[in-house]
Amino acid sequence: KQVFPKLDTVGWYTTGDAITNADATFNAGMMALNEELNDSPLLLLLSTGVDATRKDLPVTLFETEMHVIEGRPTHVFARSEYAVEVGVHARARANACVRALCAKGHLRGAPGPRS
């Protein structure tokens, strides 16, 4: 709120292949520190594994939910569905960037510059 006073925090991200105890601790601390944070912050988990055959983004989205476990209220991460929508302009920009990187020899196996 100090840097962007008109924007609200909706969540945070971390990297790895699974949510850790440290992630849960951080999420609880963030919720306790920021009273204005919604009661169900999102967690975006960015996978660090490399899979050259993968066609989708290596991310999983979780929502914080309150569950009663053994009579105690507990925050848990529930997997949420999402869709990424990319317009024609964004695809054209990405394609131009890939072509420029290929032309400079920074990428291999992607199309080179158009003639």
Side-chain angles (χ1 to χ4, degrees):
K1 283 292 185 181
Q2 292 175 353
V3 177
F4 300 105
K6 295 181 181 180
L7 299 179
D8 293 325
T9 303
V10 295
W12 57 287
Y13 76 93
T14 189
T15 58
D17 292 320
I19 297 173
T20 65
N21 288 337
D23 296 327
T25 301
F26 178 82
N27 192 62
M30 191 172 85
M31 290 176 67
L33 230 122
N34 189 350
E35 295 175 4
E36 296 176 13
L37 182 66
N38 62 33
D39 60 352
S40 184
L42 298 174
L43 166 59
L44 184 68
L45 178 65
L46 293 128
S47 174
T48 54
V50 175
D51 181 357
T53 63
R54 190 172 182 156
K55 302 276 184 206
D56 58 345
L57 291 173
V59 298
T60 308
L61 186 67
F62 296 90
E63 185 176 357
T64 306
E65 292 182 349
M66 175 70 77
H67 290 208
V68 177
I69 300 174
E70 296 179 4
R72 294 181 47 215
T74 306
H75 289 104
V76 297
F77 293 106
R79 191 175 183 148
S80 295
E81 295 298 317
Y82 67 92
V84 177
E85 294 185 22
V86 179
V88 174
H89 299 294
R91 285 190 194 128
R93 283 191 300 269
N95 192 29
C97 289
V98 168
R99 289 182 188 282
L101 289 170
C102 285
K104 293 180 179 182
H106 296 296
L107 292 178
R108 300 197 190 288
R114 291 183 183 173
S115 45

